[in-house]
């Protein structure tokens, strides 16, 4: 039973670190963007339209558009994971006082994060114009 109390104490100590809150914030942002895009994507599903389970009126998507959106979703997932990985590398290098590598990891983390947000915001703009 003592190990459980120790684990809870370690978890609470982790919540006092700013790195933990940064990662929780990134996960929240990426999750929120993915939720908003998937909300629009479900409105365009032909089976849901046929069954009348969607409330939005969206035009029918062509195969090219569907493939582009699917690839965009995959790239968003990869860039979000790359962002979290680069932030982990940054924290690791920062704790070892490797300033050059930490700066490089931070640069790449910010770059991948901006790219992931750009992908999801462009999907939101596309769906906003596609659905009425």
């Amino acid at each position: 039973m003592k190990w459980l109390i120790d684990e809870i104490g370690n978890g609470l100590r982790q919540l006092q670190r700013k790195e933990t809150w940064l990662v929780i914030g990134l996960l929240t942002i990426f999750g929120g963007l993915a939720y908003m895009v998937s909300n629009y994507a479900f409105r365009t599903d032909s089976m849901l339209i046929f069954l009348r389970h969607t409330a939005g009126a969206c035009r029918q998507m062509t195969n090219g558009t569907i493939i582009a959106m699917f690839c965009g979703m995959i790239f968003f997932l990869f860039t979000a994971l790359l962002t979290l990985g680069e932030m982990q590398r940054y924290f690791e290098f920062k704790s070892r006082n490797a300033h050059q590598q930490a700066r490089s990891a931070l640069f790449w983390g910010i770059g991948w994060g901006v790219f992931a947000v750009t992908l999801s915001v462009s999907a939101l703009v596309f769906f906003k114009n596609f659905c009425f």
Side-chain angles (χ1 to χ4, degrees):
M1 188 66 163
K2 183 177 177 353
W3 63 271
L4 181 62
I5 294 170
D6 291 339
E7 289 296 322
I8 292 172
N10 289 337
L12 291 175
R13 278 192 292 282
Q14 288 296 320
L15 288 176
Q16 294 174 351
R17 299 176 60 190
K18 64 181 178 177
E19 292 91 355
T20 304
W21 289 105
L22 178 66
V23 170
I24 290 171
L26 283 173
L27 289 172
T28 303
I29 289 170
F30 291 147
L33 288 170
Y35 173 75
M36 287 188 286
V37 169
S38 66
N39 207 10
Y40 272 113
F42 286 137
R43 291 182 190 175
T44 64
D45 185 44
S46 60
M47 186 55 78
L48 292 176
I49 291 172
F50 176 74
L51 295 174
R52 302 187 198 292
H53 286 296
T54 60
C58 296
R59 294 185 298 246
Q60 195 71 12
M61 293 178 73
T62 63
N63 286 340
T65 310
I66 291 170
I67 291 170
M69 294 306 296
F70 182 74
C71 291
M73 176 190 65
I74 296 294
F75 286 128
F76 170 74
L77 177 68
F78 286 153
T79 55
L81 289 174
L82 277 170
T83 302
L84 294 172
E86 289 295 330
M87 288 295 114
Q88 176 63 33
R89 284 185 62 220
Y90 169 71
F91 297 141
E92 184 68 27
F93 286 139
K94 188 177 169 187
S95 69
R96 294 183 182 186
N97 289 327
H99 299 292
Q100 181 66 26
Q101 291 90 348
R103 191 174 331 129
S104 175
L106 182 63
F107 171 76
W108 282 105
I110 291 172
W112 286 118
V114 166
F115 187 59
V117 169
T118 302
L119 278 174
S120 61
V121 167
S122 64
L124 283 174
V125 168
F126 170 77
F127 278 127
K128 190 70 171 168
N129 292 331
F130 197 75
C131 298
F132 32 78

